[in-house]
């Protein structure tokens, strides 16, 4: 995220200068007085829900700017955007840094006083930030006490005038200062467990709704998926993806499973793909929570998650499309495909390689067995002969593979493998996840 922010901002050097300054301020203050500086930073952190609401307003105003027709409308919206950025994003961070540098006070100062304090500090970064503060413009925006002069093409505020370009420049300067501060705190938290603990002392029992929501959304980005929009409303979490490529199906499930663990406030989870009418995923919490135990087992043994890691949530989601009977066959085919792929690793004649591969295949079969059982219970796939027969064969193979290679009867192992192959061939090919890509594999 920090690198992406720097690459995509309009003035990366300005953002970087603010980030380096803010990081130094935070680190020096926390080293000198962890208790007092921790309190200051916690106070800032606990404003995050208000900051989120402000940010939503910023986005709404920017969207309105794109639709504005007249110069007067554009001027009014530029003032509104400036007020939102200054009040909700810039002012809290400016006051936080001033407090960490020795200023005291029980509440956020008014803009005129804040500007005076930034200038009085005499640090060039804060003096540069102070130039973003235009108290008269902010007050005019807040009280709608301004006029658009069509002749001069300027905004008249009291006895003075300003241009839309000047307002936009001040807005960008304030926003870039805030971006630098946000990058700084991310860097500091990543380097100091003590700071993390200090800033978490007064967290709500279930965590901050805004922070949890942000962390859940970030799970999609870390799994290579771009989120277009998201919402958490009355227990329903909805995310819209720009696209969900076939090679990102399981990473998408991973984002959902880990995101649900973070987002305890949500009871139902939906995934949309831009341009598609039907939901790609529409699930209650149950299958995601059930799948988490499988994911946790996989994460302790594998760097790359085997396909069966996500079998419970995959099958739960596809039931709505395929029906329970076909979903049972799909679950069986996918589990057996994973099993055969794992067994193919034992075809080498290199003994040293086989010794390493054996432990990998053993762990993988243990995972497939666990995942298959969880899928059967979670999705209520009882009475399916395909599942029952395949599960018995996987259980037997998992038991044999848990032994040391020298203790395994090769003919018996071979007969078990042939049984797996027979089961697999008896089921028609299925897609990995039909709601994203219906190509059989």
């Amino acid at each position: 995220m920090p690198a992406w922010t720097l690459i995509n901002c309009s003035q990366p050097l300005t953002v970087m200068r603010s980030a380096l300054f803010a990081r130094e301020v935070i680190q020096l203050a926390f080293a000198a007085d962890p208790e007092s500086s921790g309190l200051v930073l916690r106070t800032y952190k606990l404003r995050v829900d208000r900051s989120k609401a402000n940010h939503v307003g910023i986005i709404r105003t920017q969207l309105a700017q794109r639709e504005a027709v007249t110069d007067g409308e554009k001027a009014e919206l530029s003032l509104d955007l400036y007020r939102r950025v200054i009040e909700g994003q810039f002012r809290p961070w400016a006051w936080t840094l001033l407090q960490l540098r020795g200023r005291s006070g029980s509440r956020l100062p008014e803009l005129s006083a804040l500007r005076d304090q930034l200038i009085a500090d005499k640090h060039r970064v804060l003096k540069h930030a102070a130039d973003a503060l235009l108290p008269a413009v902010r007050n005019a925006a807040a009280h709608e006490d301004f006029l658009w002069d069509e002749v001069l093409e300027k905004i008249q505020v009291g006895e003075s005038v300003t241009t839309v370009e000047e307002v936009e420049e001040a807005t960008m300067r304030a926003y870039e200062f805030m971006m630098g501060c946000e990058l700084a705190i991310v860097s500091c938290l990543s380097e100091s467990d003590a700071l993390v603990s200090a800033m978490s002392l007064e967290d709500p029992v279930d965590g901050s709704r805004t922070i949890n929501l942000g962390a859940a959304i970030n799970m999609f980005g870390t799994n290579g998926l771009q989120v277009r929009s998201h919402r958490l409303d009355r227990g329903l979490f909805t995310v819209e993806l720009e696209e969900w490529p076939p090679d990102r199906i399981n990473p998408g499930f991973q984002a959902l499973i880990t995101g649900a663990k973070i987002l305890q406030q949500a009871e139902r989870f939906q995934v949309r793909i831009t341009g598609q009418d039907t939901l790609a995923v529409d699930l209650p919490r149950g299958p995601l929570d059930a799948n988490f135990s499988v994911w946790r087992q996989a994460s302790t043994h594998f760097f790359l998650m085997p396909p069966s890691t996500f079998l419970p949530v995959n099958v739960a989601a596809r039931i709505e499309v395929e029906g329970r009977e076909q979903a049972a066959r799909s679950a069986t085919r996918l589990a057996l495909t994973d099993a055969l792929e794992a067994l193919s690793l034992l075809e080498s004649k290199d003994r040293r390689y086989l010794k390493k591969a054996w432990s990998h295949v053993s762990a993988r079969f243990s995972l497939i067995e666990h995942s298959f059982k969880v899928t059967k219970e979670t999705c209520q796939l009882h009475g399916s002969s395909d599942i029952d027969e395949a599960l018995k064969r996987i259980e037997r193979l998992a038991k044999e593979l848990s032994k040391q290679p020298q203790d395994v009867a090769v003919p018996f192992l071979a007969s078990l493998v042939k049984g797996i192959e027979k089961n697999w061939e008896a089921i028609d090919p299925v897609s990995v996840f039909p709601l994203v890509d219906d190509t059989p594999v």
Side-chain angles (χ1 to χ4, degrees):
M1 179 62 77
W4 182 92
T5 301
L6 286 173
I7 290 171
N8 286 277
C9 67
S10 60
Q11 297 291 334
L13 294 180
T14 303
V15 174
M16 178 63 79
R17 184 176 66 172
S18 298
L20 294 175
F21 167 71
R23 186 178 68 173
E24 182 181 20
V25 170
I26 294 167
Q27 291 175 336
L28 290 175
F30 190 70
D33 189 347
E35 184 175 350
S36 296
S37 58
L39 175 60
V40 170
L41 291 167
R42 280 199 305 277
T43 301
Y44 172 78
K45 176 184 174 182
L46 293 174
R47 288 179 52 87
V48 69
D49 289 333
R50 279 178 284 179
S51 179
K52 171 66 174 179
N54 172 266
H55 194 260
V56 169
I58 288 174
I59 294 173
R60 190 164 52 241
T61 303
Q62 288 176 319
L63 292 174
Q65 281 183 313
R66 296 176 187 174
E67 303 296 326
V69 177
T70 68
D71 290 339
E73 289 176 335
K74 294 175 183 177
E76 181 179 354
L77 289 168
S78 70
L79 286 174
D80 185 43
L81 182 61
Y82 173 78
R83 177 184 62 81
R84 291 179 184 277
V85 170
I86 288 294
E87 290 290 351
Q89 308 296 323
F90 177 91
R91 189 164 70 141
W93 258 121
W95 179 232
T96 297
L97 293 184
L98 285 171
Q99 287 179 292
L100 292 175
R101 287 172 66 81
R103 291 278 179 175
S104 60
S106 59
R107 55 183 297 178
L108 286 169
E110 297 298 325
L111 290 189
S112 295
L114 181 63
R115 186 175 188 277
D116 291 343
Q117 291 181 42
L118 290 171
I119 294 172
D121 187 276
K122 296 184 179 180
H123 193 283
R124 57 194 176 95
V125 172
L126 294 183
K127 289 176 69 177
H128 182 266
D131 291 339
L133 289 174
L134 310 172
V137 171
R138 178 268 170 201
N139 292 336
H143 304 296
E144 297 186 353
D145 184 19
F146 62 89
L147 286 173
W148 170 248
D149 191 317
E150 293 184 353
V151 177
L152 296 176
E153 294 188 340
K154 292 183 179 181
I155 303 167
Q156 185 175 340
V157 180
E159 297 298 322
S160 60
V161 294
T162 186
T163 65
V164 171
E165 290 73 22
E166 288 170 339
V167 174
E168 290 176 343
E169 181 182 351
T171 304
M172 186 55 65
R173 180 172 297 188
Y175 196 73
E176 287 173 346
F177 174 78
M178 180 278 298
M179 287 170 61
C181 294
E182 290 291 338
L183 293 178
I185 193 63
V186 169
S187 175
C188 291
L189 289 169
S190 69
E191 296 172 2
S192 173
D193 292 337
L195 180 59
V196 172
S197 298
M199 290 185 64
S200 303
L201 288 178
E202 300 175 29
D203 280 3
V205 176
D206 293 330
S208 161
R209 172 190 170 100
T210 299
I211 292 175
N212 290 347
L213 181 57
I217 291 300
N218 287 342
M219 290 298 169
F220 288 90
T222 57
N223 280 280
L225 295 166
Q226 186 173 352
V227 174
R228 183 181 178 89
S229 65
H230 66 274
R231 176 181 295 179
L232 175 60
D233 182 32
R234 289 175 290 184
L236 173 62
F237 173 66
T238 304
V239 60
E240 180 181 343
L241 301 177
E242 289 283 359
E243 59 177 346
W244 196 353
D247 64 344
R248 297 277 94 194
I249 289 174
N250 285 337
F253 287 142
Q254 179 166 253
L256 267 177
I257 293 163
T258 52
K261 194 66 176 177
I262 297 168
L263 210 57
Q264 291 296 317
Q265 300 96 327
E267 291 300 326
R268 193 164 195 88
F269 299 80
Q270 295 179 342
V271 178
R272 297 181 180 276
I273 304 173
T274 300
Q276 295 188 13
D277 295 330
T278 57
L279 291 168
V281 173
D282 184 10
L283 289 174
R285 168 172 289 279
L288 295 165
D289 285 346
N291 207 146
F292 186 78
S293 67
V294 181
W295 177 86
R296 186 166 52 187
Q297 178 183 346
S299 64
T300 61
H301 292 284
F302 306 102
F303 176 72
L304 296 176
M305 300 294 108
S308 288
T309 305
F310 310 102
L311 192 63
V313 69
N314 183 323
V315 175
R318 69 197 297 153
I319 283 176
E320 294 298 320
V321 176
E322 297 182 339
R324 202 168 300 276
E325 185 176 346
Q326 177 55 45
R329 287 194 291 271
S330 297
T332 306
R333 174 80 181 196
L334 292 173
L336 292 174
T337 299
D338 195 11
L340 290 174
E341 287 179 0
L343 289 168
S344 68
L345 299 174
L346 299 178
E347 294 176 357
S348 174
K349 295 181 180 180
D350 186 329
R351 289 189 176 183
R352 286 192 296 181
Y353 170 81
L354 281 174
K355 187 176 180 180
K356 294 180 181 179
W358 188 271
S359 61
H360 172 92
V361 175
S362 175
R364 193 154 161 183
F365 258 80
S366 175
L367 176 72
I368 295 170
E369 179 186 358
H370 180 200
S371 184
F372 209 4
K373 288 179 177 178
V374 170
T375 302
K376 180 180 177 180
E377 293 299 319
T378 302
C379 301
Q380 301 179 5
L381 303 179
H382 305 289
S384 168
S385 58
D386 289 326
I387 282 185
D388 291 341
E389 185 177 353
L391 184 54
K392 287 180 182 178
R393 294 186 185 279
I394 288 173
E395 287 174 337
R396 291 173 186 167
L397 258 172
K399 183 178 180 180
E400 288 301 304
L401 290 166
S402 68
K403 302 175 183 178
Q404 293 298 316
Q406 61 270 21
D407 297 330
V408 174
V410 175
F412 180 62
L413 183 66
S415 68
L416 292 177
V417 173
K418 286 184 179 179
I420 291 281
E421 292 173 341
K422 182 179 178 182
N423 276 128
W424 181 80
E425 290 170 353
I427 302 173
D428 291 335
V430 299
S431 64
V432 174
F433 187 54
L435 289 157
V436 172
D437 181 18
D438 58 6
T439 304
V441 294

